[in-house]
Amino acid sequence: MKNKGYGLFTTIAMIVGVVIGSGIFFKSDNILVATGGNIGLGVIVFCIAAIAIIFGGLAMGELASRTTEPGGVIAYAEMCWDKRIACAFGWFMTFLYYPTLIAVVAYVAGIYLCMLFGINGSFELQILIGLIVIVSLFFINTISARLGGIFQSASTIIKLLPLAIIAFAGLVFGNVDGLSLSNMSEGINSSGWIAAIAPIAFSFDGWTVSTSIGHEVRNSKRNLPRALIISPILILIIYILYFVGISIYLGPETIMALGDEHVYLAARNIFGHFGSKILLTFVVISIIGTVNGLIIGMIRQPYSLAIRGMFPCKDKISKVDEKLYIPVNSAIVGFVISIFWLAIHYITTKLSMMGNSDISEISVAMSYLLYIILYVKVLKFGINKEIKSIFIGIITPILAIIGALIIVFGSMSNNLFWIFMIICFSILCSGFIFWKRQEKSN
């Protein structure tokens, strides 16, 4: 793929645009439920969960500076360990991680589009709208990588507006008494706050998607590590300001009672009925921008595996359209897998199998478990003095590992955690076995 069309700003926009845009809007109520409505405790948990993304981004940035091979974390796993691990890693990202996130966030887009147009939409209608969003964005990003990149940059700028406005309104007009630390120790001792880690991890997730386009980033050895360092810190600041702002503006009890609809109430209180529609439009664009960023990554996943001989029908899947500079067959495969997981999300949600969670939260936790494999390699580079900086080579990977373990531990409260983990390991084993058979056949 020779056309390098992504610059530093677009890469940062992709990370910020994928991470910010869905989770923070529809997971704030989950976080407050887990912390018993304690805003200060919620902020602390945000900072704890941020360890994984901030130091994980620093560690990934070090790996990104060492290769320009396509595939992102697949390329890093191959460089750090071997092709068997890379294939298993890639199969997990392709068959589980990306498509579950795409399915859930596209469904959330359906929820907020119904709110925007005042439709009392059924769950089935929200899923249908999510399907339309997925179809549309796969089509746009397949016919033009540049068009998809432009939309990503624009949606990132747009999505910061509702966050900034609501955060400002809350901090200026909200009831700051809600930030009292008087019951902080009681909240921490209850241990229920641990459940807040899973929705916060979902809100932070998506930052590694940018590595999938690393080979398409101009001067990627310099720009991609920069993006992986700048973006996580920016995201944490924005998240805390928004979470505190909306929590003290509406009050934790109201947010917990309304669930996902609390965003609309905040917008209506600030701007009135008409103004709330405009703000909600920005929120919808924000969420669709998240789906778009995930799809940009998903389109390239089968391709990244196929060029390494790690995917069935590798000759067809690795073919890049000469006019579009896009692996069209790879995009089609990614689309089919995403639709499959949208159907699974429909079934698990309809039958209330996941409680207050969804299928994406466990795949997010599993991804952090896999990232530890890469962080360990960075630590080895540091121990062997291949990385001169003690902070980057020793402290950073250790904190990244600790952050990843915190997220995995916090996700264990999910109803189907162990069942879904078995599915995750089955996919990993399938990738491992596929490569072993490829080696024998060669």
Side-chain angles (χ1 to χ4, degrees):
M1 298 175 69
K2 299 178 181 179
N3 185 32
K4 292 199 173 186
Y6 301 116
L8 177 61
F9 179 77
T10 300
T11 309
I12 292 174
M14 183 176 186
I15 299 174
V16 175
V18 170
V19 175
I20 297 177
S22 58
I24 191 61
F25 290 119
F26 79 99
K27 293 291 186 179
S28 293
D29 55 308
N30 301 67
I31 296 165
L32 287 169
V33 168
T35 61
N38 193 315
I39 302 171
L41 183 56
V43 171
I44 289 176
V45 182
F46 261 109
C47 293
I48 292 173
I51 293 173
I53 180 175
I54 291 175
F55 291 98
L58 285 168
M60 288 289 189
E62 178 59 33
L63 297 177
S65 68
R66 293 169 175 261
T67 181
T68 57
E69 289 295 313
V73 291
I74 301 173
Y76 305 159
E78 183 178 6
M79 175 184 68
C80 293
W81 299 104
D82 57 37
K83 291 184 178 293
R84 294 171 300 174
I85 300 297
C87 188
F89 218 119
W91 276 49
F92 168 78
M93 302 298 284
T94 303
F95 288 103
L96 198 62
Y97 176 77
Y98 279 95
T100 56
L101 287 174
I102 289 170
V104 171
V105 181
Y107 154 68
V108 172
I111 294 176
Y112 282 94
L113 278 167
C114 287
M115 288 185 198
L116 176 62
F117 293 106
I119 301 172
N120 187 18
S122 63
F123 175 56
E124 285 74 16
L125 178 59
Q126 293 163 352
I127 289 288
L128 177 60
I129 294 173
L131 173 62
I132 294 171
V133 168
I134 292 174
V135 171
S136 302
L137 292 179
F138 262 101
F139 177 75
I140 290 171
N141 282 282
T142 300
I143 63 171
S144 174
R146 180 176 175 80
L147 186 60
I150 291 172
F151 177 74
Q152 193 61 36
S153 299
S155 67
T156 298
I157 296 171
I158 291 171
K159 73 176 54 184
L160 294 178
L161 290 175
L163 290 169
I165 291 170
I166 292 175
F168 177 80
L171 294 172
V172 174
F173 304 109
N175 179 14
V176 293
D177 293 339
L179 290 174
S180 172
L181 302 180
S182 59
N183 61 341
M184 185 71 71
S185 59
E186 180 182 342
I188 293 175
N189 291 334
S190 70
S191 76
W193 61 270
I194 294 174
I197 292 176
I200 289 176
F202 179 93
S203 300
F204 271 123
D205 204 58
W207 56 277
T208 58
V209 173
S210 62
T211 64
S212 67
I213 62 164
H215 58 294
E216 297 177 68
V217 174
R218 293 190 294 272
N219 199 357
S220 63
K221 285 192 174 184
R222 183 188 68 179
N223 287 335
L224 188 54
R226 284 182 177 180
L228 287 168
I229 293 169
I230 294 170
S231 303
I233 298 172
L234 180 62
I235 291 164
L236 175 61
I237 294 170
I238 294 170
Y239 270 6
I240 290 177
L241 289 175
Y242 172 82
F243 177 73
V244 171
I246 197 165
S247 296
I248 64 176
Y249 183 71
L250 293 179
E253 295 78 12
T254 301
I255 293 174
M256 291 187 289
L258 289 177
D260 296 338
E261 295 184 5
H262 71 271
V263 178
Y264 179 72
L265 176 62
R268 191 178 63 191
N269 288 350
I270 296 170
F271 294 106
H273 179 70
F274 179 73
S276 67
K277 292 293 185 182
I278 296 176
L279 197 63
L280 202 56
T281 300
F282 290 157
V283 173
V284 169
I285 293 173
S286 169
I287 295 171
I288 293 176
T290 299
V291 185
N292 185 71
L294 290 167
I295 287 175
I296 288 175
M298 182 62 182
I299 283 174
R300 292 154 177 81
Q301 284 303 117
Y303 164 82
S304 297
L305 288 168
I307 60 174
R308 295 174 170 84
M310 298 176 180
F311 205 83
C313 304
K314 60 182 181 180
D315 292 335
K316 290 184 178 180
I317 302 301
S318 61
K319 185 178 180 181
V320 177
D321 189 279
E322 294 180 358
K323 294 182 179 179
L324 300 175
Y325 293 102
I326 290 290
V328 176
N329 292 331
S330 175
I332 294 171
V333 171
F335 170 74
V336 172
I337 297 172
S338 299
I339 297 303
F340 169 79
W341 279 107
L342 181 65
I344 297 297
H345 176 58
Y346 171 79
I347 294 169
T348 55
T349 305
K350 189 71 174 179
L351 300 178
S352 301
M353 297 171 65
M354 304 294 287
N356 198 35
S357 304
D358 56 62
I359 57 173
S360 65
E361 287 186 8
I362 304 177
S363 61
V364 168
M366 185 65 192
S367 69
Y368 279 99
L369 198 60
L370 292 175
Y371 297 156
I372 291 175
I373 298 173
L374 303 179
Y375 302 154
V376 167
K377 193 65 176 182
V378 176
L379 182 59
K380 285 187 174 182
F381 288 150
I383 293 173
N384 296 332
K385 306 298 183 182
E386 293 181 51
I387 299 175
K388 304 299 182 183
S389 169
I390 294 176
F391 177 74
I392 297 295
I394 304 294
I395 297 175
T396 289
I398 289 176
L399 290 176
I401 291 169
I402 291 172
L405 290 174
I406 288 172
I407 287 179
V408 174
F409 179 70
S411 300
M412 289 182 181
S413 59
N414 193 295
N415 291 353
L416 298 180
F417 179 84
W418 295 110
I419 294 176
F420 212 77
M421 275 296 179
I422 292 172
I423 296 174
C424 292
F425 279 109
S426 297
I427 292 174
L428 286 168
C429 290
S430 298
F432 191 90
I433 292 169
F434 179 84
W435 178 252
K436 292 291 290 184
R437 289 182 175 177
Q438 287 293 101
E439 282 186 316
K440 289 183 178 179
S441 65
N442 289 335

